[in-house]
Amino acid sequence: MKKLIFLILLYSSNSFSTVTLEEFNLLKVAIHKSFLILRPSSDHKLTINLTTNLPDNYWWNLDVAHASYSRLDNTHNIFIFGGFARLEEMTLDGLAITACHELGHGIGGPPYKSSGSSMEGQADYFATKICLPIVFNYLEASSTSTETPFNLEFCSNSEDFSFCLRALTALESDIFFYKTLGDVVHFETPATELATLLDYSPTYYPSSQCRLDTSLNGILGLKRPGCWYPEIN
């Protein structure tokens, strides 16, 4: 029986471009190589911006900030529109987090939404904990790592200092993206809310600060934060 899952993120686009099509194609190669390591078994396949019966670069040419995941049987499909890559302050490393997040909906593991895909928080956690370290092995750093006092202290607790600094710098793109949604988040100000139950709704998203906290915990391999993942789990 065929199983179809489709998840969409849609946001207004921005005219400033920091990721080029050439760079995006490098990311696609890195994600495909990483998927060969991450996939549950050899019968799982991955497509990125599939253009069957569509013009070349169709998804890239759409000036809409959009990223999505779909699945048909064991074929995982990621779509990252050019408008998302062209968001102001987006970097290739930042885009790698988005690609890992979308992939996490398919292979990120439990807990799952009622639709069958991994929850948003779990996809965030998988992105920085499991996927990003592998992707970075195949992708040249898109910018110099930011060495703020917070970043240096935070990464002093990491088993891989260089990866940690690079991942924090990549997350700066997420911080900017959340700002475009009207949410101001910071590394230094963790979410204060505490979840008492998992929310299995397909449309549920943790707060932007909670999602950033989840990404930070993933970098250090810490447990998922209680702002979306209750202690009883």
Side-chain angles (χ1 to χ4, degrees), residues 38-179:
L38 294 166
R39 62 183 177 176
S41 61
S42 60
D43 62 334
H44 283 251
K45 310 299 180 183
L46 173 66
T47 73
I48 302 175
N49 283 7
L50 183 65
T51 56
T52 302
N53 299 322
L54 293 170
D56 291 343
N57 300 323
Y58 174 82
W59 306 107
W60 176 265
N61 291 332
L62 292 178
D63 195 23
V64 178
H66 173 110
S68 67
Y69 166 82
S70 68
R71 176 175 178 176
L72 182 62
D73 295 331
N74 285 339
T75 298
H76 306 265
N77 307 290
I78 293 174
F79 297 91
I80 301 177
F81 289 18
F84 191 91
R86 290 187 287 272
L87 284 171
E88 185 183 0
E89 297 189 31
M90 179 59 66
T91 65
L92 192 59
D93 280 0
L95 208 60
I97 295 178
T98 297
C100 281
H101 169 90
E102 297 304 336
L103 186 58
H105 280 305
I107 63 173
Y112 299 102
K113 299 181 179 185
S114 59
S115 61
S117 62
S118 295
M119 290 182 176
E120 296 298 332
Q122 183 60 26
D124 288 330
Y125 191 64
F126 168 87
T128 55
K129 184 175 188 286
I130 304 297
C131 180
L132 201 62
I134 297 174
V135 173
F136 277 178
N137 288 332
Y138 300 109
L139 191 69
E140 185 176 346
S142 59
S143 60
T144 302
S145 295
T146 305
E147 297 186 0
T148 64
F150 172 87
N151 290 12
L152 293 172
E153 181 178 356
F154 181 89
C155 291
S156 67
N157 298 308
S158 172
E159 295 181 359
D160 189 334
F161 186 79
S162 296
F163 163 74
C164 178
L165 280 181
R166 182 176 174 183
L168 285 180
T169 303
L171 280 175
E172 292 174 5
S173 291
D174 275 6
I175 290 175
F176 172 79
F177 171 68
Y178 293 138
K179 185 178 179 180

Side-chain angles (χ1 to χ4, degrees), residues 28-40:
K28 289 169 64 176
V29 171
I31 294 295
H32 276 294
K33 289 180 177 179
S34 301
F35 182 74
L36 296 179
I37 298 171
L38 294 166
R39 62 183 177 176

Side-chain angles (χ1 to χ4, degrees), residues 203-219:
T203 60
Y204 169 69
Y205 282 80
S207 70
S208 295
Q209 183 65 58
C210 181
R211 295 188 63 187
L212 182 64
D213 297 347
T214 302
S215 298
L216 291 173
N217 283 18
I219 291 173

